């Protein structure tokens, strides 16, 4: 582990140096080059373990969802078998390769292909072939669904598109997997989904959620006064950690925050948590266990808002005093991304909590629009070729660490080499 604690009052924080990263401006080519993008697809997205989300999405035997990974031209069925195991298969019929499952999610103990009615159990086994005798010694056993490597960590589902993954999920996660064990993910079974296709490189979108330097500029009316204050006017982070290709940053929260007089609705629902938190839909009592976990707000700062944890390559888990949310940044092409964001909230138990949640959701929508509103314009600027590089400040350390590891994976002949120190 590489732990870095920053004094935001210093003239300049030193997270970049402590993470052992270069302080030079970084190249913009990885954001606009078609050739580089193809290398990212082959070297990163087809070799890394990719998190698909929470297992609660398929809580019961028979539950399934379909995950499309457009850049790999792959459609994946993720199922919970009768025995309770989570399995992943290519969504392709073994007869003439028709797409098997058309619903995005559901519950089914078997899948029937619409073309000629071949039938599969949800553990992949082929169990029914109409007029089987008219085939030529068809071996049903060898005609099951084609499996995709799938493994679990702390209730998170991961897949790997390598036919034989070079490293295990445990090896891929390394120290990060140990340190983040035992976190209670509150309301993991319930989420509000925000989804959008944006005309920008996947890293442009991921970068937009990886630093708080933008907060005073982009979010002055919404969360500006939550993440910045007189003592920390530029929302500098309070600490950062890196573990191999994975990273996390703890962001500053204004402990003295209270909604302004004119924010009548926010004042109505605001619950002061003494940590500057307003991104919340759960009570502080519910989140006590979460807050005590050593990996969360690792410096146990009183001035803390959110931990942004970025699992290589394309997935972020954000933890705040109110619970957690996630971002997926699925590349579509070098300048298009499918962005999915899930906010986990408890069931509303009365009218008051329902109203509080509605307010939370409306507020989120506004904040997220502020976040992604710049991304397409940024991509246009990058594509113009006007700039060769971008200078990154210390608070943008996660972007640097991301690019450093993207390059490492793109250039490494093997996954082990990409993961080596
Ligand atoms: S293609 Fe699926 S049954 Fe023929
Ligand atoms: Fe933001």
């Amino acid at each position: 582990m590489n732990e870095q604690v920053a004094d935001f009052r210093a003239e300049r924080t030193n997270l970049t140096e402590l993470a052992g990263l270069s302080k030079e401006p970084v190249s913009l080519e990885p954001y606009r080059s078609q050739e580089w993008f193809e290398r990212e697809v082959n070297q990163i997205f087809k070799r890394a373990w990719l998190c698909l989300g929470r297992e609660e999405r398929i809580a019961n035997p028979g539950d399934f969802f379909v995950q499309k990974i457009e850049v790999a031209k792959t459609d994946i069925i993720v199922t919970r078998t009768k025995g309770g195991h989570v399995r992943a298969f290519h969504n392709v019929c073994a007869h003439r390769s028709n797409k098997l499952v058309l619903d995005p999610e559901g519950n089914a103990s078997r899948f029937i292909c619409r073309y000629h009615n071949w039938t599969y159990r949800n553990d992949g086994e082929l169990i029914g072939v109409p007029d089987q005798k008219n085939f030529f010694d068809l071996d049903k056993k060898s005609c099951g669904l084609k499996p995709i490597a799938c493994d679990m960590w702390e209730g998170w589902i991961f897949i790997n598109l390598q036919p034989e993954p070079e490293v295990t999920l445990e090896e891929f996660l390394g120290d990060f997997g140990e340190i983040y064990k035992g976190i209670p993910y509150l309301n993991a079974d319930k989420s509000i989904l925000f989804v959008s296709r944006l005309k920008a490189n996947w890293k442009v979108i991921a970068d937009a959620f990886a630093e708080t330097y933008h907060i005073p500029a982009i979010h002055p009316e919404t969360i500006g006064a939550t993440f910045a204050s007189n003592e920390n006017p530029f929302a500098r982070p309070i600490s950062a950690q890196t573990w191999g290709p994975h990273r996390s940053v703890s962001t500053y929260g204004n402990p003295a925050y209270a909604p302004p007089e004119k924010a009548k609705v926010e004042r109505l629902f605001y619950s002061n948590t003494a940590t500057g938190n307003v991104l919340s839909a759960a009570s502080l009592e519910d989140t006590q266990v979460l807050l005590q976990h050593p990996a969360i707000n690792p410096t146990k700062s009183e001035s803390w808002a959110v931990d942004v944890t970025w699992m290589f390559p394309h997935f972020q888990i954000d933890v705040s005093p109110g619970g957690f949310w996630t971002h997926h940044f699925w590349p579509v092409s070098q300048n298009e991304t499918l962005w999915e964001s899930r906010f986990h909230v408890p069931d509303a138990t009365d009218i008051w909590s329902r109203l509080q949640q509605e307010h939370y959701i409306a507020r989120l929508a506004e904040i997220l629009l502020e976040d992604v509103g710049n991304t397409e314009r940024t991509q246009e600027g990058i594509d113009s070729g006007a700039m060769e590089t971008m200078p990154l400040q210390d608070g943008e350390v996660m972007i640097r660490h991301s690019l450093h590891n993207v390059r490492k994976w793109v250039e490494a002949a093997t996954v082990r080499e990409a993961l080596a120190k």
Side-chain angles (χ1 to χ4, degrees):
M1 178 170 72
N2 200 341
E3 186 173 331
Q4 304 108 39
V5 179
D7 176 5
F8 58 80
R9 292 179 192 86
E11 186 176 321
R12 188 172 62 212
T13 53
N14 55 351
L15 297 170
T16 307
E17 198 176 316
L18 290 169
L21 295 163
S22 151
K23 294 176 219 158
E24 297 296 311
V26 297
S27 170
L28 289 170
E29 278 313 296
Y31 291 85
R32 62 187 168 212
S33 156
Q34 174 65 35
E35 191 233 324
W36 181 272
F37 179 75
E38 281 163 20
R39 290 172 74 189
E40 284 182 350
V41 170
N42 291 324
Q43 299 287 85
I44 298 175
F45 287 89
K46 291 188 181 174
R47 299 199 298 180
W49 285 90
L50 303 173
C51 185
L52 300 187
R54 293 297 307 172
E55 67 167 336
E56 288 82 358
R57 265 184 91 182
I58 44 171
N60 303 308
D63 285 353
F64 71 87
F65 66 88
V66 175
Q67 174 74 50
K68 202 183 184 88
I69 302 184
E70 292 180 54
V71 283
K73 293 194 174 73
T74 302
D75 223 30
I76 302 171
I77 314 169
V78 184
T79 72
R80 171 94 55 188
T81 65
K82 205 166 143 196
H85 300 290
V86 176
R87 296 270 183 269
F89 303 97
H90 287 276
N91 187 12
V92 177
C93 176
H95 178 219
R96 274 166 50 201
S97 291
N98 185 30
K99 186 171 284 192
L100 181 63
V101 178
L102 305 183
D103 293 330
E105 59 189 19
N107 183 286
S109 57
R110 54 190 58 187
F111 302 120
I112 303 170
C113 180
R114 309 275 169 101
Y115 208 164
H116 314 90
N117 278 348
W118 279 34
T119 302
Y120 303 84
R121 248 196 345 237
N122 76 347
D123 63 3
E125 193 179 326
L126 176 64
I127 52 173
V129 174
D131 197 13
Q132 189 181 337
K133 291 205 174 99
N134 218 21
F135 279 90
F136 307 95
D137 302 322
L138 182 83
D139 174 21
K140 279 214 301 244
K141 285 235 165 343
S142 64
C143 291
L145 295 177
K146 191 153 179 204
I148 287 174
C150 179
D151 205 352
M152 307 288 297
W153 170 79
E154 295 288 296
W156 298 97
I157 304 167
F158 287 77
I159 58 101
N160 189 307
L161 293 174
Q162 290 190 310
E164 296 283 336
E166 283 174 65
V167 299
T168 63
L169 175 60
E170 206 180 334
E171 289 171 304
F172 174 74
L173 294 173
D175 290 343
F176 173 87
E178 285 301 313
I179 286 157
Y180 279 79
K181 264 191 185 148
I183 290 177
Y185 291 100
L186 301 163
N187 310 305
D189 56 335
K190 300 175 198 86
S191 64
I192 298 155
L193 172 67
F194 293 84
V195 57
S196 183
R197 282 174 95 91
L198 295 156
K199 288 200 164 45
N201 185 273
W202 65 278
K203 299 187 293 301
V204 168
I205 316 294
D207 294 356
F209 293 99
E211 45 86 4
T212 44
Y213 179 43
H214 71 267
I215 283 186
I218 289 185
H219 307 294
E221 295 290 323
T222 49
I223 48 172
T226 312
F227 286 80
S229 68
N230 287 341
E231 65 165 359
N232 190 1
F234 302 108
R236 291 176 169 186
I238 49 180
S239 70
Q241 290 82 39
T242 57
W243 303 269
H246 315 293
R247 61 202 76 100
S248 179
V249 69
S250 266
T251 68
Y252 172 89
N254 175 8
Y257 178 78
E261 198 66 44
K262 63 175 183 180
K264 296 252 184 314
V265 182
E266 190 189 338
R267 284 175 81 91
L268 203 58
F269 296 119
Y270 179 71
S271 54
N272 192 346
T273 61
T275 49
N277 172 60
V278 289
L279 291 174
S280 168
S283 71
L284 188 61
E285 297 81 70
D286 290 345
T287 56
Q288 276 312 316
V289 190
L290 174 76
L291 300 182
Q292 280 155 17
H293 193 285
I296 303 300
N297 180 17
T299 64
K300 297 298 171 213
S301 169
E302 299 272 294
S303 308
W304 172 71
V306 180
D307 281 352
V308 179
T309 304
W310 186 346
M311 296 165 83
F312 185 82
H314 76 314
F315 180 61
Q316 290 178 4
I317 306 173
D318 297 49
V319 177
S320 85
F324 79 106
W325 62 94
T326 64
H327 295 286
H328 277 99
F329 311 105
W330 289 109
V332 174
S333 71
Q334 103 264 18
N335 56 11
E336 192 173 1
T337 300
L338 177 71
W339 163 62
E340 293 173 334
S341 193
R342 287 183 174 81
F343 287 75
H344 292 265
V345 295
D347 269 339
T349 47
D350 51 28
I351 293 196
W352 180 260
S353 55
R354 181 67 209 269
L355 285 170
Q356 188 175 25
Q357 280 186 12
E358 288 300 326
H359 172 249
Y360 176 66
I361 294 161
R363 197 172 152 76
L364 278 177
E366 198 178 344
I367 298 164
L368 292 171
L369 279 172
E370 289 171 342
D371 276 317
V372 296
N374 273 312
T375 52
E376 295 188 347
R377 289 191 287 269
T378 301
Q379 186 66 45
E380 279 182 38
I382 291 171
D383 286 344
S384 77
M387 301 296 164
E388 294 299 321
T389 59
M390 57 180 174
L392 293 174
Q393 69 127 271
D394 201 52
E396 295 170 303
V397 60
M398 291 227 287
I399 300 177
R400 233 180 241 283
H401 185 255
S402 158
L403 287 167
H404 174 77
N405 281 283
V406 162
R407 181 171 293 278
K408 236 173 131 185
W409 277 68
V410 162
E411 291 174 351
T414 65
V415 170
R416 272 190 207 289
E417 191 185 318
L419 284 172
K421 289 218 168 81

